[in-house]
Amino acid sequence: MRIVAGKHRSRKIEAVEGMKTRPTLDKVKEAVFSSLGGKFYDGWILDLFSGSGNIALEAISRGMEHAVMVDCSYDAITTIRRNVKTLKEEEACEVWKMDAEKAIRQCGLKQYQFDLIYFDPPYIRKDITHLMDLVLEEHLLKEDGILVYEGLKEDENPLHPQLELYKEASYGIVKIRYYRKG
């Protein structure tokens, strides 16, 4: 696995060992960031279900100022911390070992707001709408912010009355869905 673009372009990062996480493929990651364009320069990203930190570290490499990376797996957190250290991005990154719901509430307590929120949950997880509710309840998404959900192609699109699904793209078995406040 590698960083695709930006100041850390072509740098390798570790994946979590075993089959409990599935890293976002480079081609999918490139497509997501190309789709988002450069509008998040100096912004903040919340990477829930972060795995190896792949998405957040790509965002930092491309110019985002700050990342909060969340996972509940000890192996994932260990891998994220090693990747952050390898890229010397300790100042730009917060790594939290907790579940997504608790992390969203913690971000609310800290009054964090994000330009980009990335959900890449285990494919068996089905309560994405509940997490969207919490993100909005805690005011985590900036007015012009984007929430990206990576899930299975055959999954129904999570719908939320306050979020507009404005774009989606499929890559093999994966579908990327893009939401903004509507």
Side-chain angles (χ1 to χ4, degrees):
M1 197 167 36
R2 66 185 177 86
I3 302 295
V4 175
K7 66 183 175 183
H8 298 301
R9 183 177 183 201
S10 299
R11 297 275 308 271
K12 289 187 178 184
I13 58 174
E14 294 179 38
V16 179
E17 288 189 31
M19 300 299 290
K20 291 188 177 183
T21 64
R22 51 176 172 63
T24 301
L25 298 174
D26 287 348
K27 73 176 186 174
V28 175
K29 184 169 56 169
E30 175 62 28
V32 167
F33 281 95
S34 292
S35 177
L36 295 172
K39 75 177 265 182
F40 297 110
Y41 189 76
D42 286 339
W44 280 45
I45 179 174
L46 172 60
D47 185 4
L48 291 172
F49 313 98
S50 193
S52 63
N54 185 19
I55 294 295
L57 291 169
E58 183 73 34
I60 293 291
S61 180
R62 290 172 182 250
M64 290 196 98
E65 176 184 351
H66 195 80
V68 176
M69 295 179 267
V70 177
D71 208 293
C72 61
S73 158
Y74 175 79
D75 291 337
I77 292 299
T78 301
T79 301
I80 293 167
R81 287 188 175 132
R82 277 198 304 264
N83 286 333
V84 168
K85 187 174 182 177
T86 295
L87 298 178
K88 296 179 173 59
E89 290 292 356
E90 295 91 344
E91 292 294 316
C93 298
E94 294 181 46
V95 181
W96 298 356
K97 184 185 180 304
M98 60 183 69
D99 69 38
E101 186 172 324
K102 184 175 179 182
I104 290 169
R105 294 199 186 284
Q106 186 68 27
C107 286
L109 287 172
K110 291 178 174 268
Q111 297 185 333
Y112 285 177
Q113 285 199 310
F114 299 93
D115 302 278
L116 176 60
I117 298 176
Y118 199 91
F119 287 179
D120 183 10
Y123 287 153
I124 57 171
R125 187 178 182 103
K126 299 293 182 194
D127 61 344
I128 299 306
T129 303
H130 173 66
L131 294 178
M132 290 174 166
D133 284 338
L134 289 176
V135 162
L136 294 171
E137 180 183 308
E138 297 293 341
H139 307 286
L140 301 189
L141 191 62
K142 288 185 177 177
E143 278 307 310
D144 61 346
I146 294 176
L147 186 146
V148 177
Y149 165 55
E150 178 179 336
L152 288 173
K153 185 168 37 177
E154 67 265 9
D155 287 349
E156 288 186 32
N157 290 337
L159 298 176
H160 193 282
Q162 294 174 298
L163 292 172
E164 171 194 3
L165 173 64
Y166 73 92
K167 182 178 180 176
E168 54 189 340
S170 295
Y171 307 92
I173 66 167
V174 172
K175 186 186 277 186
I176 306 293
R177 297 154 175 100
Y178 300 83
Y179 297 86
R180 61 183 167 214
K181 288 185 178 178

